Amino acid sequence: MLADKNILIGVTGGIAAYKVVEVASRLKKSGANVRVMMTKNATEFVSPRTFQEITGNAVSVEMFGDAANFHVAHIALADFADAILIAPATANFLAKMAHGICDDLLTTTVLACDKKIIVAPSMNTKMFDNPATQSNLQILRERGVKILEPATGELACGTTGKGRLPEPVEICAAVEKIFTDKILSGKKILVTAGGTVEAIDPVRYIGNRSSGRMGCEIAKTAADSGAQVTLIAGKIEVEPPKNLTVIRVESATQMREEVLKIFDSVDAVIMSAAVADFRVKNPAAQKIKKSDEMTLELVKNPDILRELGTLKQNQILIGFAAETQNVLEYAKKKLAEKNLDFIVANDVTAEGAGFSVPTNIASIIWRDGTVESFPKMKKSALAEKIIERVANLSGDRKISTVNDA
Ligand code: PMT
């Protein structure tokens, strides 16, 4: 189940830390590459060497343990992980996590991680029920952190109640589930990617810098989430994902035609393609001969997304806004004019954002004006944020059934 998955287990200082040795062992047997990071308090309960022997990987504890690498360790381990499991998660650790406090290697790594995070709280019942802990858990839940409910039973403090770490087998099942949850199962999603190519003559064209990375990551994430995905791709520099239908197009006119063919049958459209706003009025049939000057007459291309905005019934419509200035202001205008559910705005001049690079820096803007701004993250991680939101929106809208034609 977990073949090729990189799991980072964060162990904090609770008596239940001993149970996590079995969790590490089971995850490893399921095929995962497991690394363990411990808080200093956790090492009072279990020796790092135990985890090292079980996982076959060095265990990280000290922020400044390895002087040569201290400034990168937390970033490297956050990047390594496909998912982080915090078990047991103490009340103190949850509080720090909820409020972004980084005072050791594990808290710092968690803050630097944009992947799936699952926490297994374990503590005395009164500490768990305390409004402070409950409100910290609620903050984490709202940020998409998966919280495992503690079990009820005898606790290390001698009392009986809620607060026990769930059994290792249950924790491992929850970790597997976050990779297999099919939040878009039964949905049909149309994604566009790449740049359109507008012919000047048989050898030259007007194009743009889109590589198709953003759109392909969205299509892949949607398919991995159980959706039936059609990817309509213009010029792209990456291999399109395998588990979906790919339709290749060149021009904006062709993209519009293909999009309109299936628009009625999909639940959501995510237009991440960079569609040219203009095309050459009369492309030459033969290669244009060299001259000192050349004038091209351009005409306006159809605005595909704006057209979908007028046609839409129940479909969810998501657009992108590629801007170089006044990013939020221009994006909000496009959101309204194109009748979208939300728009993903990126400043394509910012370092690590926009065209070609594997990362993006984006804000999601909603119809009510709410703005969610994300730090620089991999396009795959941004794709997950987008797909999670599409899944939430699509929950109560009915359009397609995957088995119909
Ligand atoms: O492909 P990458 O290298 O990974 O780069 C990603 C990206 C920068 C291309 C992507 O993040 C992005 O911003 N895509 C939208 C590019 C764009 O055309 O933005 P726009 O602001 O010009 O258009 C607004 C929206 O209308 C977009 O959803 C676009 O797909 C759509 N549109 C635009 C023009 C047009 N004629 N028809 C359209 O449907």
Side-chain angles (χ1 to χ4, degrees), residues 185-385:
S185 145
K187 302 289 177 188
K188 288 183 183 171
I189 309 286
L190 164 58
V191 182
T192 65
T196 63
V197 164
E198 311 297 332
I200 296 173
D201 67 17
V203 297
R204 304 180 182 95
Y205 63 83
I206 298 174
N208 60 63
R209 296 174 195 278
S210 173
S211 64
R213 282 189 173 80
M214 190 69 247
C216 286
E217 290 293 355
I218 294 170
K220 178 179 182 305
T221 308
D224 289 348
S225 305
Q228 184 176 303
V229 179
T230 302
L231 172 67
I232 300 181
K235 189 167 176 296
I236 55 176
E237 290 165 14
V238 287
E239 273 291 304
K242 298 260 179 287
N243 48 346
L244 42 85
T245 306
V246 182
I247 298 171
R248 299 305 303 263
V249 295
E250 287 206 335
S251 64
T253 314
Q254 287 169 3
M255 184 173 275
R256 172 181 174 270
E257 236 169 70
E258 294 300 332
V259 167
L260 290 180
K261 271 186 206 164
I262 59 169
F263 180 59
D264 279 351
S265 67
V266 299
D267 297 280
V269 180
I270 306 170
M271 284 284 301
S272 90
V275 185
D277 288 318
F278 299 96
R279 67 177 183 279
V280 177
K281 186 172 183 187
N282 295 308
Q286 303 301 330
K287 183 178 173 188
I288 299 171
K289 286 295 169 199
K290 220 186 289 178
S291 58
D292 284 345
E293 276 187 8
M294 183 174 73
T295 304
L296 288 175
E297 194 180 348
L298 304 180
V299 289
K300 206 170 168 202
N301 259 334
D303 188 323
I304 308 170
L305 194 51
R306 185 188 276 257
E307 192 173 346
L308 299 185
T310 62
L311 295 174
K312 87 167 178 184
Q313 302 287 319
N314 268 337
Q315 291 94 332
I316 294 161
L317 266 195
I318 313 302
F320 269 72
E323 306 295 348
T324 57
Q325 57 179 335
N326 305 328
V327 178
L328 295 183
E329 184 196 328
Y330 290 161
K332 278 180 186 166
K333 201 158 173 271
K334 287 178 185 171
L335 169 78
E337 284 173 357
K338 303 191 184 205
N339 192 19
L340 309 177
D341 288 85
F342 67 78
I343 193 160
V344 186
N346 42 193
D347 177 348
V348 290
T349 57
E351 204 189 319
F355 296 112
S356 247
V357 288
T359 53
N360 210 347
I361 306 167
S363 297
I364 288 182
I365 307 169
W366 294 85
R367 289 173 79 98
D368 67 0
T370 311
V371 178
E372 295 181 86
S373 292
F374 301 108
K376 181 160 93 178
M377 58 176 65
K378 287 190 179 149
K379 283 181 175 164
S380 54
L382 179 59
E384 282 183 18
K385 305 259 178 232

